[in-house]
């Protein structure tokens, strides 16, 4: 089964690290294809970046489905363009934020999220409410590490993240931690050992959920808001996205 993992920002090095985390989680028979758009922000930190990442992400999903992908993972923690992607694709689309929240709520009564910058907190809190999981989340925190600094060994990113996890344990009573960025995936196992509690990475969570949906024969329902886009003309730079 071909699973398309889309990193909505344009950082190829981040896409490579996301691909490695996805492949480490994938089951036998799952082919991971990891892509990112060529147009848009190199990292997504807040609403403005998110808005400009969506068209390129949708295009990658449409191309991926045409090339045989059966399911899709949106590998950005604010689940960039998730609903639009579910309209565009027939296969199941799983956002790493939503996947991580659901998994954490299966193994802990209360979890905390630790994301990158403070400006990323509000979009994540809004998603928790949208998914009906806000009551299970004690707090969404930021370790004030920019997304791309996560791949710089000299940035002190891991120690800042670890310190914020310690605060979440002490101040929030967190029983589990959800890592609030796709770029943190490779740190999950060592942070869980260091802190003695479950640390959930959304990339792995989303890969396993997407595999389960396909294995159960489930795809996105087209009876309601995720119905195929209506045929209509798109103009200008997006003319190719229209079907009218
Ligand atoms: C992510 N940004 O997972 C989010 C994290 C954030 O480029 N990949 C990004 O800070 O919102």
């Amino acid at each position: 089964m071909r699973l398309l993992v889309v990193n909505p920002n344009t950082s190829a090095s981040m896409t490579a690290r996301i691909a490695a985390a996805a492949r480490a989680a994938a089951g036998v028979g799952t082919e991971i294809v990891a892509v990112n758009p060529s147009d848009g922000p190199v990292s997504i930190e807040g609403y403005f970046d998110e808005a400009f990442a969506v068209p390129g992400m949708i295009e990658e999903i449409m191309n991926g489905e045409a090339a045989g992908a059966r399911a899709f993972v949106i590998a950005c923690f604010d689940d960039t363009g998730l609903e639009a992607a579910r309209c565009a694709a027939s296969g199941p689309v799983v956002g790493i934020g939503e996947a991580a929240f659901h998994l954490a709520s299966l193994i802990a009564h209360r979890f905390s999220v630790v994301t990158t910058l403070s400006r990323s907190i509000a979009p994540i809190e809004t998603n928790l409410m949208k998914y009906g999981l806000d009551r299970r989340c004690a707090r969404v925190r930021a370790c004030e590490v920019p997304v791309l600094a996560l791949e710089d060994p000299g940035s002190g990113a891991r120690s800042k993240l670890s310190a914020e996890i310690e605060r979440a344990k002490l101040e929030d009573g967190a029983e589990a931690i959800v890592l609030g960025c796709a770029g943190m995936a490779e740190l999950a196992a060592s942070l869980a050992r260091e802190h003695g509690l479950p640390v959930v990475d959304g990339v792995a969570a989303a890969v396993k959920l997407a595999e389960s949906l396909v294995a159960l024969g489930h795809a996105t329902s087209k009876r309601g808001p995720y119905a195929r886009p209506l045929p209509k003309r798109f103009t200008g730079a997006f003319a190719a996205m229209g079907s009218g």
Side-chain angles (χ1 to χ4, degrees):
M1 186 271 284
R2 176 175 293 178
L3 176 55
L4 189 79
V5 177
V6 187
N7 169 20
N9 71 41
T10 60
S11 164
S13 57
M14 194 167 168
T15 302
R17 291 168 45 238
I18 290 168
R23 291 191 178 108
V28 176
T30 299
E31 176 202 7
I32 299 286
V33 176
V35 297
N36 59 260
S38 50
D39 300 341
V42 289
S43 66
I44 296 167
E45 292 154 337
Y47 293 120
F48 187 84
D49 300 344
E50 194 183 342
F52 284 90
V54 175
M57 193 266 299
I58 297 285
E59 202 168 1
E60 292 296 335
I61 286 192
M62 292 164 100
N63 293 342
E65 185 154 75
R70 298 271 311 282
F72 308 86
V73 166
I74 296 179
C76 181
F77 199 79
D78 51 23
D79 297 340
T80 313
L82 179 61
E83 289 82 6
R86 285 184 174 150
C87 297
S90 42
V93 182
V94 181
I96 65 170
E98 188 174 19
F101 301 147
H102 280 294
L103 255 72
S105 67
L106 296 174
I107 57 173
H109 177 62
R110 278 266 189 294
F111 60 85
S112 286
V113 177
V114 182
T115 189
T116 56
L117 302 179
S118 296
R119 63 189 308 131
S120 293
I121 292 176
I124 294 169
E125 289 175 339
T126 303
N127 284 348
L128 279 160
M129 285 186 276
K130 188 168 65 176
Y131 305 145
L133 288 166
D134 48 309
R135 283 179 302 125
R136 305 295 297 280
C137 180
R139 185 165 170 193
V140 180
R141 296 169 164 271
C143 59
E144 301 308 342
V145 172
V147 170
L148 296 182
L150 287 163
E151 55 194 59
D152 169 8
S155 69
R158 190 190 185 288
S159 56
K160 287 179 185 165
L161 176 53
S162 182
E164 200 60 39
I165 291 173
E166 193 57 33
R167 280 189 281 274
K169 286 159 55 181
L170 295 175
E171 299 167 14
D172 311 344
E175 302 148 36
I177 298 293
V178 168
L179 296 179
C181 180
M184 295 172 179
E186 65 222 14
L187 300 172
S190 67
L191 288 166
R193 281 192 301 275
E194 180 184 336
H195 288 279
L197 81 176
V199 174
V200 177
D201 153 46
V203 174
V207 166
K208 297 320 282 182
L209 279 176
E211 286 178 329
S212 305
L213 288 168
V214 172
L216 294 168
H218 291 311
T220 303
S221 173
K222 295 296 174 185
R223 294 180 56 82
Y226 303 141
R228 285 266 176 215
L230 294 172
K232 67 181 64 176
R233 210 163 49 81
F234 280 41
T235 60
F238 299 123
M241 302 293 262
S243 54

